[in-house]
Amino acid sequence: QQQVKQSPQSLIVQKGGISIINCAYENTAFDYFPWYQQFPGKGPALLIAIRPDVSEKKEGRFTISFNKSAKQFSLHIMDSQPGDSATYFCAARGNFGNEKLTFGTGTRLTIIP
Amino acid sequence: ETGVTQSPTHLIKTRGQQVTLRCSSQSGHNTVSWYQQALGQGPQFIFQYYREEENGRGNFPPRFSGLQFPNYSSELNVNALELDDSALYLCASSFSRMNTEAFFGQGTRLTVV
């Protein structure tokens, strides 16, 4: 039972372009939405996170846009660089009593020169 | 680096055997969660320990068990290994059971033959 749907599965973006990854969720009890970046052979690294009372959060080149009514959120990477090439996972956390992180299936991002 | 360390990094076991994976949480963190990540998939929640007690479990059989010690380090034990148990096992620690800012270790790659 997949509660967080992520798309696209893979993405190729030119250097300097904008990378956009989308996620949708079903469980309205989710109350915290982090994004993780994972390089081959490494564990996921927390990139940026948002709570549903905020529609947008920006940290450097990374921005999360959140649409509570549509139950969707997305990661935007501005001025994408080759070093951003990695797999990105969105996740969602349940509220008290169910605090586990539920992950999307991942997006493999490749930035080409 | 997150300060979450896992051992061993790689492991090969035979079907039917038992395995113990270890995780040292980041200083100040009292919550440890374990995830299984199959190749090309997002991490799947196994269980979570908060102050030495299990406080959440995913859809995994009882042969997956765990333990958290007074120093908040943790072990994941898997009995009667099956071929499908081959995966990257990830440990994440956070400063509270709410998993805000959960930091992952580099994982243990388990191969069952």
Side-chain angles (χ1 to χ4, degrees):
Chain A
Q1 181 186 2
Q2 183 186 357
Q3 296 189 45
V4 180
K5 295 182 179 180
Q6 184 171 346
S7 63
Q9 188 174 4
S10 62
L11 181 62
I12 299 174
V13 174
Q14 230 165 4
K15 179 182 174 183
I18 303 173
S19 303
I20 302 174
I21 304 171
N22 301 298
C23 284
Y25 63 98
E26 300 167 359
N27 188 347
T28 55
F30 288 147
D31 66 355
Y32 172 74
F33 301 87
W35 283 88
Y36 283 85
Q37 178 190 57
Q38 187 175 29
F39 293 104
K42 303 289 186 181
L46 180 63
L47 201 57
I48 186 173
I50 198 168
R51 297 182 189 277
D53 54 347
V54 176
S55 62
E56 186 175 282
K57 182 174 181 180
K58 183 176 181 179
E59 289 185 1
R61 297 185 294 111
F62 300 92
T63 300
I64 300 178
S65 296
F66 190 86
N67 186 329
K68 187 174 181 178
S69 60
K71 293 186 285 186
Q72 295 175 348
F73 58 110
S74 60
L75 175 69
H76 296 233
I77 306 175
M78 314 299 286
D79 187 26
S80 298
Q81 299 297 311
D84 297 330
S85 297
T87 300
Y88 292 80
F89 293 95
C90 62
R93 183 198 70 190
N95 53 17
F96 189 81
N98 186 25
E99 301 93 348
K100 69 178 183 182
L101 291 174
T102 300
F103 284 83
T105 51
T107 296
R108 177 174 286 186
L109 174 65
T110 303
I111 308 301
I112 57 175
Chain B
E1 299 298 321
T2 62
V4 179
T5 57
Q6 292 185 242
S7 62
T9 54
H10 296 84
L11 200 55
I12 299 175
K13 288 287 191 178
T14 302
R15 188 173 56 180
Q17 285 188 314
Q18 178 266 344
V19 69
T20 297
L21 310 182
R22 294 178 174 82
C23 172
S24 176
S25 59
Q26 185 165 314
S27 177
H29 286 189
N30 57 25
T31 301
V32 171
S33 302
W34 286 91
Y35 292 81
Q36 180 194 67
Q37 186 176 23
L39 207 57
Q41 299 295 317
Q44 296 291 315
F45 176 74
I46 302 175
F47 43 59
Q48 175 171 297
Y49 280 85
Y50 169 67
R51 293 187 174 180
E52 302 180 59
E53 291 192 4
E54 182 180 302
N55 81 319
R57 188 177 183 93
N59 190 25
F60 281 81
R63 57 190 186 84
F64 285 78
S65 63
L67 200 58
Q68 187 179 33
F69 299 99
N71 66 354
Y72 302 132
S73 65
S74 178
E75 285 183 354
L76 164 66
N77 300 290
V78 187
N79 293 322
L81 283 167
E82 301 177 359
L83 297 179
D84 284 348
D85 295 333
S86 296
L88 181 68
Y89 287 85
L90 295 162
C91 160
S93 78
S94 57
F95 62 85
S96 81
R97 60 182 290 170
M98 297 307 295
N99 282 312
T100 307
E101 295 190 350
F103 295 102
F104 283 82
Q106 82 282 5
T108 293
R109 172 70 63 186
L110 173 65
T111 302
V112 182
V113 298

